[in-house]
Amino acid sequence: MGGFSRGLFVTLWISLDLLATPEDPAAAKQHADKAADYVQSGDLPHAEAELHTAIRLAPADSSYLTSLGAVLGMQGKLQEANTYFERAVKANPADATARRNLAANQWRLGELKPAQANLERLLRTQPQDSASVLLLGMVSENLHDYARAAKLLGSIPTIVAQRPETVAALASACYHTGQREKAHRLLEGLLTQPAEPQGIFAAAGVAAQSGDYGIAEKMFESIRASYPDQTKLAYNLALIQYRTGHTVESQQALLALVTAGRGTGEVYALLGRCYQAQGETSEAVHALETAIHQDPSREPSYATLVAILLDAKRLPAALAAATEMTKVFPKSALAFLTEGQVQLKMSQYTDAVQAYHRAIELDSSSLDAQTGLASAQWGAGMRTEAQSSFELLIKQHPRDADLPETYATLLLDSAPDDVAETHAATLLKAALDLDPGRVESHYRLGNLALKNGSTGDALQHLEAAARLAPEESKIQFALARLYRRLGRADDATSAMSRYEKLKAAGK
Amino acid sequence: MRWVLAALLILCVCAGFIKWPVSAAPDIFTDVTAQAGIRWRHVSGEESSERYLVETMGGGVAFLDFDRDGLPDLFFVTGGETPKSPHSAPPNNALYRNKGNGTFEDVTAKAGLERLPFYGMGVAAADFDNDGYPDLFITGYPACALFHNNRDGTFTDITEKAGVKNSGKWAAGAAWIDYDRDGRLDLFICNYAKFSYSDIHRCEFNGLRTYCAQTAYEGEPPTLYHNNGDGTFTDVTAQAGLAKLVGRALDAVSIDVDDDGWPDIFVARDASPNLLLINQRNGTFVDAALDAEVALTADGMARAGMGVDAGDITGEGRPDFFVTNFNDEQHALFLNKGAFPFQEWTRESGLAALTRSFVGWGAHFLDFDNDGTLDLVFVNGHLNPVIEKTRLDVHYEEPPMLLANNGKGVFRDMKESAGPVFRSRYLGRGLAVGDYDNDGGTDVVFARLNDAPVLLHNNVGREKAWIGVELQGTKSNREAIGAKLTLTAGGRKLTRWITSGTSYLSSHDHRVIFGLGDPPSGPVRLDIRWPNGNEQTVSGLKLNQYQKVVE
């Protein structure tokens, strides 16, 4: 039955429930008891039918409405279940069971905010309701309110420990709130008790996402024999190997999947990243192209392909891939952000301005898009707009060291007058205050000092830059100039020699 | 009543109701190309299907008095045909004889200079055999040519005999230089890049075929030919220490950088480090560009050096250097402080802000108003027809610029009074300066890619006092290329050099004009250091005319 038809059928059935039928509570109870028997025996469709009858005979009884919602939920009919739970809560707002079931169903449907509201209402009147505490903890984790999730789930450890999914949620909250050790122990605890493989898989995923690869790998390995989707399992193990720098092993595992005919889009995409890590650009590009062909709806594959092509300085190909990405994902801010980044690199500034504008339309909170737009405006000659953008972004994100550094760099590269040069120096110092390890800021301040004859300051900044980035040719060049000015001829010669070697290597 | 009416009239004028007929100050320069009778057009090969880079780079021009009648003439180098752009009529160079009445006569055919057996780039004019008549060295791809001035209005191609063909190379600018001070002009050639019509480089922008960046082509070392004095030259590139200096050289200026009496060479190179070749006085050169900090930017990046000139812009008696570059790189100015490093003065001079959006080519210092300070003129024009699809602030055709020097090396844009040409846009390339009407005002001519040149008459130079000097060497090379002249007058010292090369692909009137502003009181003295090192002092020079000084 199609979705629309099923919806209509349910509406009709509900309407039938509401049709004026003589209320008969006693008869309703008989049907409800039969439904309970059916549930016990696992015959959910008959249970559902009995409960529909019970509701026709006692339409305001929230317990029957809740039971029906539960039976529907057990059959995966979540939207229909939601309808009956809402009716139950409406019929009896104080019915905690009905409200709790509604919240649980909303959570399953991804309606997190309504679920949160219902659970908070429950806990206001019944703060010790551990089922609601558990559920609200799960909802909070999904809403990325990790501190709250950690507090709620941490308050009911015994209940949490009963299911791997809830352990995973608490572990995720702990990882995100800096309680790494606690998270690790929680997940290790899962390995010592029987648990369903799907739950272990989810928990292992949490560990992997948080970079706790050791425990993640152990957990994935523990379900090697029992997890039903062997391709996904093998992929996740390969992903851990890639992330821990074992690209060769990862590549081998992925190639085994490909050879066995189990090369999915994400398998090929990861294979591409393995090739790229080993400098095999052509193979990497081919793998990513295959990933896209296998699964054109997988956006990360496009982004990875563009990144590989940019890294290989194959800019026209990168632009073609990025433009394709915007066509396949026209409502994706990431797609337009990616396109803008490539256009910026290719000095196609006016096009980049348009791409970044579109990215911001789709995601106004994207700092990358806003910064990119400002840089593209600068490059396109829209200096006034760019300066306004940068000044505003710096005000809005005072802890972001990238912004003042990027703005200062553009100012210095654009023939600044004394005022602009002083402003650039102030911005660079601000960037260093936020992050003393910023190479470009040290380098630029060093060059400014050299230009102004402050060789002491120049030495301090340029040598700092060289320590932080020993493979950057321009820093060695600047040092050579400085050493020459200081009369340190041997040091100047060494620095020039390093500059020439690095320049020849494209650094 | 009459008084009332007069008062009323004055009030009306002051209120702007009535305008007195006030004569406006003349534009500094006037475009006299049409009146002069110059009809020639450069032929580039114009965006052939293969987008050969050579099509975008040519356009040399020279002021030279080929017939020694005291009136500078004009020579223009055409580009030519490429395999993918045959022309309906074969493209010609052009020699225009100055008739002395503001007009020029095309005498190219009579002179035997119409055609070249290669794609033409630039010209360096000088009297290499010291017979009193300037000869022509023309650069190009894949060869060069030396035309001897027969002194009768004709020229003869003596390339093969002279041994200066520079075969297989793509040559750009060239400079005459008596590097060994033997009294004979030697020849320094800027070789650009390894290039071949059959080696196609394919570059695109949004699916449109465009010219590739210069970095797609490998550079070459320059060529140095020693003048043997018998009509032949010897390639001494390797012996001179130049063979290892591989890069994309576009033009050079020969001038005594360190004031030791021996000529050095500043070479502007494109996406390769510039060179500052210091004459070691033993037939060899050493590159001191890194020490001088003129090779690269502060970030260690090579700019796209196209045109170059040298002159004393601060009155300190030392040659400073100007190099035209690409958009966003700023045309660079380096002050010679008498020791290394030179001081990059681009931002402080105002040039950084003025030139940020432009791609510069031919350039020359000149004292356009004869106030005694060296000003600057240069032409711009992009390479990439699709640039306006990517930028709002950079354009394909760009205006030339006339910048006035305040005497301390700070420049001001004179476009509002320079003349309409400086408010119009062109694809400028070569540029030469000379006084074609001998009125003391330095005139300018510039070439345009695939278009007609522009001849500009200077309307203001003659309004101030000036002294014109033409040197004739006897022991030194006859044109005195390499001489240093210091004029002391009215408490001021003005230093000038007779250089070769400079600008882009072009050659200039070798006479020197000293602008004095107001007529000086007191004696005027000219100190000359001749190219071979001899010193000579001259007094009794007359104002507002040219005079010849013989060594």
Side-chain angles (χ1 to χ4, degrees):
Chain A
M1 182 186 284
F4 176 73
S5 305
R6 190 193 356 221
L8 183 60
F9 177 73
V10 167
T11 305
L12 283 172
W13 195 318
I14 293 167
S15 305
L16 278 174
D17 288 342
L18 295 172
L19 278 175
T21 305
E23 287 196 24
D24 186 346
K29 188 173 182 316
Q30 280 178 351
H31 286 284
D33 289 343
K34 271 192 199 164
D37 292 337
Y38 277 126
V39 168
Q40 288 275 13
S41 66
D43 186 351
L44 297 179
H46 277 111
E48 181 185 334
E50 291 295 337
L51 284 166
H52 274 300
T53 307
I55 286 165
R56 270 204 301 282
L57 295 167
D61 191 325
S62 64
S63 68
Y64 302 150
L65 291 162
T66 303
S67 298
L68 178 54
V71 166
L72 287 165
M74 282 192 278
Q75 296 176 88
K77 299 174 185 176
L78 300 182
Q79 285 291 356
E80 296 165 44
N82 222 52
T83 306
Y84 284 96
F85 287 133
E86 283 172 347
R87 275 182 65 184
V89 167
K90 198 173 172 186
N92 183 3
D95 185 343
T97 305
R99 193 176 293 279
R100 194 184 309 112
N101 275 281
L102 172 60
N105 202 63
Q106 286 168 329
W107 174 58
R108 288 178 72 187
L109 281 168
E111 294 171 9
L112 300 178
K113 286 290 190 183
Q116 181 184 49
N118 277 310
L119 290 165
E120 284 171 348
R121 183 170 168 166
L122 275 168
L123 287 171
R124 275 198 291 276
T125 52
Q126 297 176 38
Q128 303 307 315
D129 177 4
S130 52
S132 296
V133 168
L134 177 69
L135 201 45
L136 185 56
M138 302 294 284
V139 168
S140 299
E141 197 277 336
N142 286 165
L143 284 170
H144 303 158
D145 187 350
Y146 297 113
R148 193 182 196 191
K151 188 176 173 192
L152 287 164
L153 295 172
S155 69
I156 45 168
T158 314
I159 298 174
V160 164
Q162 287 170 11
R163 294 198 62 76
E165 293 85 356
T166 48
V167 170
L170 177 55
S172 169
C174 288
Y175 277 125
H176 281 98
T177 50
Q179 301 175 76
R180 201 171 175 82
E181 281 299 317
K182 182 174 176 183
H184 190 92
R185 281 198 307 276
L186 279 165
L187 294 176
E188 268 193 333
L190 270 182
L191 287 171
T192 61
Q193 62 198 58
E196 289 191 13
Q198 284 85 348
I200 300 292
F201 185 91
V206 163
Q209 276 169 21
S210 303
D212 200 349
Y213 298 120
I215 187 68
E217 191 172 15
K218 264 193 215 168
M219 295 178 86
F220 283 128
E221 287 289 357
S222 74
I223 54 172
R224 240 205 212 276
S226 56
Y227 191 72
D229 189 338
Q230 286 291 302
T231 302
K232 204 153 185 70
L233 185 65
Y235 166 79
N236 275 278
L237 279 164
L239 181 59
I240 288 173
Q241 285 171 323
Y242 171 80
R243 288 206 177 133
T244 51
H246 299 105
T247 49
V248 172
E249 292 86 340
S250 178
Q251 184 179 315
Q252 283 168 353
L254 295 165
L255 282 171
L257 285 174
V258 167
T259 306
R262 292 190 279 153
T264 62
E266 67 181 357
V267 165
Y268 275 105
L270 182 57
L271 182 59
R273 286 157 70 189
C274 288
Y275 281 130
Q276 190 206 5
Q278 294 170 79
E280 296 172 46
T281 305
S282 295
E283 287 82 354
V285 169
H286 180 69
L288 263 302
E289 286 171 344
T290 308
I292 290 169
H293 181 72
Q294 291 284 71
D295 185 0
S297 67
R298 193 176 178 274
E299 195 179 16
S301 299
Y302 292 83
T304 306
L305 175 59
V306 172
I308 289 172
L309 290 166
L310 277 178
D311 198 53
K313 297 188 174 32
R314 289 170 53 179
L315 299 183
L319 183 59
T323 303
E324 180 64 19
M325 193 176 169
T326 64
K327 291 193 177 111
V328 176
F329 305 99
K331 291 202 165 50
S332 163
L334 174 63
F336 287 94
L337 177 68
T338 305
E339 188 185 48
Q341 285 167 340
V342 179
Q343 286 162 336
L344 201 57
K345 270 216 159 31
M346 295 177 75
S347 303
Q348 292 179 13
Y349 298 113
T350 50
D351 288 344
V353 167
Q354 286 190 28
Y356 281 120
H357 265 307
R358 184 75 185 118
I360 291 168
E361 273 170 20
L362 292 165
D363 180 3
S364 57
S365 68
S366 169
L367 180 56
D368 283 342
Q370 288 171 56
T371 310
L373 174 62
S375 296
Q377 284 171 330
W378 190 280
M382 301 160 66
R383 296 294 160 96
T384 309
E385 292 90 336
Q387 277 174 305
S388 301
S389 297
F390 273 117
E391 301 285 353
L392 182 62
L393 283 169
I394 289 169
K395 259 202 196 107
Q396 289 172 340
H397 304 274
R399 308 296 308 162
D400 189 312
D402 267 344
L403 286 167
E405 185 179 271
T406 304
Y407 185 23
T409 304
L410 289 170
L411 275 171
L412 289 172
D413 286 343
S414 306
D417 54 23
D418 286 340
V419 171
E421 193 174 276
T422 305
H423 186 41
T426 305
L427 288 165
L428 292 167
K429 284 174 188 155
L432 282 176
D433 284 340
L434 291 166
D435 177 3
R438 296 205 72 91
V439 175
E440 188 68 16
S441 295
H442 276 298
Y443 168 72
R444 292 285 182 160
L445 282 168
N447 260 348
L448 275 174
L450 183 58
K451 177 176 154 313
N452 296 327
S454 307
T455 48
D457 288 344
L459 193 65
Q460 178 204 332
H461 281 296
L462 290 175
E463 288 189 337
R467 276 194 301 276
L468 290 163
E471 302 282 294
E472 274 232 41
S473 63
K474 67 183 185 186
I475 299 172
Q476 296 301 321
F477 182 81
L479 273 173
R481 282 176 74 213
L482 173 59
Y483 290 143
R484 241 181 264 122
R485 299 257 187 114
L486 292 171
R488 291 164 57 175
D490 289 342
D491 290 334
T493 304
S494 302
M496 268 313 287
S497 171
R498 286 192 296 275
Y499 158 74
E500 275 152 8
K501 279 200 187 81
L502 290 168
K503 195 103 178 91
K507 295 178 186 174
Chain B
M1 185 60 170
R2 220 174 20 184
W3 290 114
V4 171
L5 281 173
L8 199 58
L9 193 61
I10 288 166
L11 273 172
C12 286
V13 168
C14 292
F17 296 132
I18 301 174
K19 304 254 183 251
W20 289 119
V22 175
S23 43
D27 289 329
I28 296 168
F29 286 98
T30 300
D31 181 352
V32 295
T33 318
Q35 300 96 293
I38 294 168
R39 312 253 180 273
W40 174 85
R41 290 174 68 92
H42 177 263
V43 170
S44 70
E46 199 177 10
E47 289 202 343
S48 67
S49 57
E50 297 298 355
R51 297 291 192 274
Y52 297 117
L53 187 62
V54 74
E55 297 163 7
T56 69
M57 306 285 291
V61 59
F63 270 114
L64 75 159
D65 182 7
F66 82 93
D67 55 1
R68 300 300 296 155
D69 63 355
L71 298 168
D73 312 296
L74 283 166
F75 180 71
F76 300 99
V77 184
T78 197
E81 298 172 293
T82 67
K84 295 289 184 184
S85 61
H87 221 252
S88 52
N92 290 345
N93 304 311
L95 179 66
Y96 279 94
R97 183 182 152 270
N98 188 342
K99 290 164 71 175
N101 59 359
T103 69
F104 289 75
E105 175 194 4
D106 187 343
V107 295
T108 321
K110 178 172 179 257
L113 291 171
E114 280 183 307
R115 293 227 179 89
L116 301 165
F118 53 82
Y119 192 98
M121 288 284 291
V123 56
D127 181 9
F128 83 90
D129 58 353
N130 292 334
D131 67 356
Y133 283 74
D135 311 294
L136 284 171
F137 181 74
I138 303 173
T139 62
Y141 169 76
C144 298
L146 178 61
F147 286 88
H148 178 254
N149 188 333
N150 301 322
R151 302 188 276 181
D152 61 358
T154 69
F155 288 77
T156 301
D157 184 347
I158 59 163
T159 312
E160 296 287 353
K161 175 172 176 265
V164 292
K165 195 170 181 182
N166 201 39
S167 213
K169 302 260 171 70
W170 177 2
W176 293 99
I177 170 177
D178 183 5
Y179 77 92
D180 55 355
R181 302 205 324 185
D182 64 357
R184 297 186 288 264
L185 286 170
D186 311 296
L187 186 55
F188 179 87
I189 303 171
C190 296
N191 294 312
Y192 184 53
K194 288 186 165 62
F195 176 81
S196 164
Y197 289 126
S198 57
D199 178 20
I200 309 295
H201 292 256
R202 189 175 185 89
C203 297
E204 289 184 0
F205 172 78
N206 276 0
L208 294 172
R209 191 81 185 268
T210 64
Y211 293 102
C212 292
Q214 73 282 69
T215 45
Y217 304 86
E218 272 183 63
E220 293 259 37
T223 302
L224 180 65
Y225 285 119
H226 176 260
N227 186 340
N228 302 323
D230 59 359
T232 69
F233 290 75
T234 302
D235 186 340
V236 294
T237 309
Q239 297 93 297
L242 303 178
K244 58 186 186 309
L245 299 174
V246 173
R248 286 170 287 265
L250 278 175
D251 222 297
V253 54
S254 62
I255 193 166
D256 183 5
V257 172
D258 51 3
D259 205 31
D260 65 351
W262 291 73
D264 310 299
I265 312 172
F266 186 114
V267 186
R269 303 206 298 183
D270 188 2
S272 306
N274 295 326
L275 300 174
L276 183 62
L277 301 174
I278 302 298
N279 193 331
Q280 301 299 295
R281 309 186 227 175
N282 60 0
T284 69
F285 291 83
V286 166
D287 178 27
L290 278 173
D291 290 332
E293 295 190 8
V294 300
L296 301 163
T297 65
D299 292 327
M301 302 297 294
R303 285 180 276 210
M306 273 84 89
V308 58
D309 196 19
D312 178 15
I313 65 159
T314 55
E316 293 174 342
R318 292 183 291 266
D320 308 303
F321 294 87
F322 175 72
V323 182
T324 54
N325 290 307
F326 217 75
N327 57 266
D328 302 322
E329 294 179 346
Q330 304 135 30
H331 303 347
L333 183 63
F334 301 102
L335 298 185
N336 181 345
K337 309 306 280 180
F340 295 150
F342 289 177
Q343 182 178 7
E344 180 158 0
W345 192 244
T346 308
R347 186 175 75 80
E348 293 79 357
S349 65
L351 282 167
L354 288 168
T355 64
R356 188 179 51 76
S357 302
F358 300 130
V359 178
W361 299 89
H364 213 281
F365 289 117
L366 79 170
D367 183 1
F368 75 84
D369 55 0
N370 281 338
D371 65 355
T373 58
L374 280 179
D375 311 299
L376 184 55
V377 67
F378 53 92
V379 290
N380 303 299
H382 214 279
L383 287 153
N384 192 344
V386 298
I387 188 65
E388 293 179 27
K389 291 189 195 301
T390 69
R391 300 282 294 263
L392 301 176
D393 58 334
V394 177
H395 302 278
Y396 183 46
E397 294 183 334
E398 299 171 354
M401 297 191 86
L402 177 69
L403 305 182
N405 178 359
N406 72 349
K408 297 188 179 70
V410 178
F411 290 86
R412 176 168 58 98
D413 190 354
M414 300 299 292
K415 72 176 177 207
E416 295 309 324
S417 52
V421 163
F422 293 88
R423 299 187 291 277
S424 306
R425 294 178 180 274
Y426 309 93
L427 293 177
R429 293 293 186 263
L431 175 148
V433 301
D435 182 7
Y436 76 83
D437 59 349
N438 292 333
D439 67 351
T442 307
D443 308 304
V444 176
V445 64
F446 66 86
R448 295 157 66 188
L449 190 71
N450 214 44
D451 210 328
V454 175
L455 177 64
L456 297 170
H457 178 257
N458 182 331
N459 304 316
V460 304
R462 63 189 170 204
E463 291 166 5
K464 299 238 171 62
W466 58 278
I467 290 174
V469 175
E470 180 181 356
L471 295 188
Q472 180 181 318
T474 52
K475 296 191 181 60
S476 301
N477 70 84
R478 194 177 173 102
E479 295 218 50
I481 289 173
K484 176 183 176 183
L485 300 87
T486 307
L487 188 89
T488 308
R492 290 172 76 181
K493 253 191 188 165
L494 304 180
T495 309
R496 305 286 183 263
W497 292 262
I498 298 178
T499 61
S500 177
T502 87
S503 186
Y504 177 69
L505 306 184
S506 301
S507 194
H508 316 275
D509 186 345
H510 289 141
R511 299 175 299 177
V512 176
I513 299 173
F514 288 95
L516 300 171
D518 294 323
S521 56
V524 173
R525 193 180 90 227
L526 178 65
D527 294 302
I528 302 168
R529 186 163 70 203
W530 291 90
N532 73 349
N534 290 340
E535 309 229 343
Q536 182 174 347
T537 299
V538 178
S539 52
L541 294 166
K542 298 188 179 58
L543 291 182
N544 304 327
Q545 58 186 273
Y546 285 97
Q547 39 242 296
K548 183 179 282 192
V549 177
V550 178
E551 183 181 12

